[in-house]
């Protein structure tokens, strides 16, 4: 057995997967062989879920049946809503509220007694989780505002329905399409920390609720999720300063400040998802306020062209543009990471199902560095 220590498991192969592939040098991301650009511009989030869970894109009738099945699973039990209300009143963090909600969903699972080896039942459970997360999140936000939750609309797609439940108003086509595209872009991304966490839990044959709850918990850490919130807070700081964005970013970099939304563990060039969201940000700007688009592009141009970060392998990642896109859609800043989880749940479920098809308990080892010959001293003599 190799004794080389790989901190953070960087570069260690632990599984084979057909789900997604990342080429960090070329700036390429594919889901099951399809370029992310093609899926984001031509498919819906429901189509991408079907692709990840079933291995192929659905036909029209298959998609209609799948979307209808998802829509019928959106309602959550009154006990879950009551808990969301109590957590909102307690000023709980949205990711913690989501973690609690997903764990609670299992109490109302109609196939709770299904055998852990029944992967078809696990998939149906995963479908229910994915359908219910938007409802719980929207209810939590409305309770925070002192308003009653909005019932899900089965006639709307998952993305449009979330925006509707969040605001109480049906989104226009641009908003719905933009948010749907954002969900597609975040659906899967290799063995990132939260996906690996879900896989480790799944490898024990724990239920899918446990695996998704673990994924939410891992994503809540600031080294994994939350960068788009950091980006938006910087953009707002620039706007509130009253300074020209170029002047602000020059001063900030001269002071040694790190601008969030740049650099990625995998990508050495601009994240392909950032390119797509930049287009959507421009479209939203053309239909309304272009302030946020102008600030982000000014920062990108300065850091990539003037500071030469791209030559150093540091380029805009998906968070750099998703923050301002979500803000333009009227989504509260501290809901950005929960939305990330809402999308990525589909990927977590897909990876757990894929791994369990040929399951082996994930059990790495650690190199012991402690003492080996300590003499025990009874308590009274210490």
């Amino acid at each position: 057995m190799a004794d080389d220590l790989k901190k953070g498991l960087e570069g260690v192969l632990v599984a084979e997967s057909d789900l997604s592939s990342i080429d960090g040098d070329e700036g390429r991301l594919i889901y099951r062989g399809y370029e992310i650009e093609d899926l984001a511009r031509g498919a819906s989030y429901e189509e991408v879920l079907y692709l990840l869970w079933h291995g192929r894109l659905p036909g029209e009738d298959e998609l209609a049946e799948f979307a209808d099945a998802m829509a019928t699973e959106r309602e959550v039990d009154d006990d879950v809503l009551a808990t969301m209300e109590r957590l909102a009143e307690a000023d709980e963090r949205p990711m913690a509220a989501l973690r609690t909600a997903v764990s609670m969903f299992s109490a109302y699972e109609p196939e709770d007694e299904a055998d852990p080896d029944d992967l078809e039942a696990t998939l149906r459970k995963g479908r229910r989780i994915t359908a219910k997360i938007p409802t719980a999140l929207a209810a939590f936000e409305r309770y925070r505002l002192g308003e009653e939750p909005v019932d899900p609309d089965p006639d709307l797609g998952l993305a449009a329905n979330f925006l509707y439940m969040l605001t109480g108003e049906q989104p226009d086509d641009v908003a719905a399409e933009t948010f749907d595209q954002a969900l597609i872009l975040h659906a899967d991304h290799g063995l990132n920390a939260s996906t690996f966490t879900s896989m480790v839990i799944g490898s024990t044959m724990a239920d899918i609720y446990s695996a998704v709850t673990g994924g939410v918990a891992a994503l809540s850490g600031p080294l994994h999720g939350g960068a788009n919130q950091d980006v938006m807070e910087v953009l707002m700081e620039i706007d509130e300063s009253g300074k020209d964005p170029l002047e602000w970013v020059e001063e900030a970099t001269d002071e040694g400040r790190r601008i969030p939304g740049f650099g990625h563990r995998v990508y050495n060039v601009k994240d392909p998802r950032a390119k797509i969201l930049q287009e959507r940000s421009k479209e939203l700007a053309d239909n309304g306020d272009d302030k946020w688009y102008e600030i982000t592009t000014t920062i990108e141009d300065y850091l990539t062209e003037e500071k030469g970060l791209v030559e150093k392998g540091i380029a805009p990642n998906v968070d750099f543009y998703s923050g301002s896109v979500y803000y333009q859609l009227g989504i509260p800043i501290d809901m950005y990471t929960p939305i990330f989880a809402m999308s990525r749940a589909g990927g977590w479920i897909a990876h757990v199902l894929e791994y369990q098809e040929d399951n082996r308990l994930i059990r790495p080892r650690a190199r012991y560095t402690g003492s080996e010959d300590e003499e025990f001293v009874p308590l009274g003599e210490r």
Side-chain angles (χ1 to χ4, degrees), residues 42-271:
S44 65
Y45 180 62
E46 283 86 345
E47 286 177 82
V48 169
L49 284 178
Y50 192 100
L51 172 67
L52 292 174
W53 292 350
H54 295 282
R56 59 183 177 81
L57 289 169
E60 288 186 6
D61 291 343
E62 290 172 321
L63 177 61
E65 181 180 355
F66 179 77
D68 286 346
M70 289 280 294
T72 61
E73 304 283 7
R74 288 175 180 165
E75 292 188 1
V76 301
D77 192 89
D78 288 343
D79 288 345
V80 176
L81 292 177
T83 298
M84 292 299 99
E85 184 173 18
R86 288 196 295 272
L87 291 175
E89 291 171 350
D91 199 27
E92 180 61 285
R93 291 166 292 119
M95 279 296 278
L98 176 59
R99 182 190 65 217
T100 299
V102 174
S103 187
M104 281 192 72
F105 291 162
S106 70
Y108 311 98
E109 169 53 56
E111 295 184 89
D112 187 53
E113 299 301 320
D115 192 288
D117 292 325
D118 185 347
L119 299 188
E120 288 298 321
T122 298
L123 177 55
R124 290 190 294 271
K125 293 177 184 180
R127 185 187 71 204
R128 294 182 188 110
I129 294 171
T130 307
K132 294 178 189 302
I133 284 176
T135 308
L137 275 179
F140 175 77
E141 173 57 20
R142 290 187 68 82
Y143 282 133
R144 288 203 300 179
L145 297 174
E147 299 175 352
E148 287 298 307
V150 175
D151 291 335
D153 185 342
D155 294 328
L156 296 175
L158 188 146
N161 179 64
F162 174 74
L163 295 177
Y164 166 66
M165 292 189 296
L166 193 69
T167 65
E169 299 179 0
Q170 288 204 11
D172 61 32
D173 290 344
V174 172
E177 291 168 7
T178 298
F179 190 60
D180 189 73
Q181 200 170 60
L183 295 181
I184 292 170
L185 297 174
H186 288 85
D188 195 40
H189 207 242
L191 292 194
N192 52 79
S194 56
T195 297
F196 187 61
T197 298
S198 296
M199 281 179 55
V200 171
I201 295 170
S203 80
T204 73
M205 299 309 293
D207 65 34
I208 194 66
Y209 289 93
S210 299
V212 175
T213 300
V216 173
L219 187 60
S220 70
L223 293 184
H224 188 12
N228 50 9
Q229 179 175 338
D230 296 337
V231 170
M232 195 61 224
E233 288 172 352
V234 165
L235 298 182
M236 294 178 73
E237 180 183 345
I238 294 172
D239 182 52
E240 292 168 2
S241 74
K243 295 180 180 179
D244 178 82
L246 181 57
E247 176 189 0
W248 188 96
V249 74
E250 287 176 341
E251 291 179 358
T253 53
D254 288 344
E255 294 170 359
R257 284 190 61 173
R258 178 184 173 275
I259 307 300
F262 279 77
H264 194 277
R265 185 75 171 263
V266 180
Y267 293 111
N268 299 314
V269 296
K270 188 170 182 176
D271 188 327

Side-chain angles (χ1 to χ4, degrees), residues 36-42 174 177-179 181-182 185 270-287 289-290 292-294 296-297 300 316-318 320-322 324-325 328:
I36 191 62
E37 292 86 353
D38 293 336
L39 292 172
R41 294 176 180 132
V174 172
E177 291 168 7
T178 298
F179 190 60
Q181 200 170 60
L185 297 174
K270 188 170 182 176
D271 188 327
R273 300 169 299 173
K275 295 178 181 178
I276 297 168
L277 285 177
Q278 182 178 6
E279 294 173 2
R280 300 306 297 200
S281 180
K282 178 66 164 61
E283 187 171 354
L284 289 170
D286 289 342
N287 289 330
D289 188 356
D290 66 354
W292 306 114
Y293 178 77
E294 293 300 325
T296 51
T297 53
E300 179 180 355
N317 58 44
V318 66
F320 187 65
Y321 280 98
S322 64
S324 60
V325 165
Q328 290 176 88

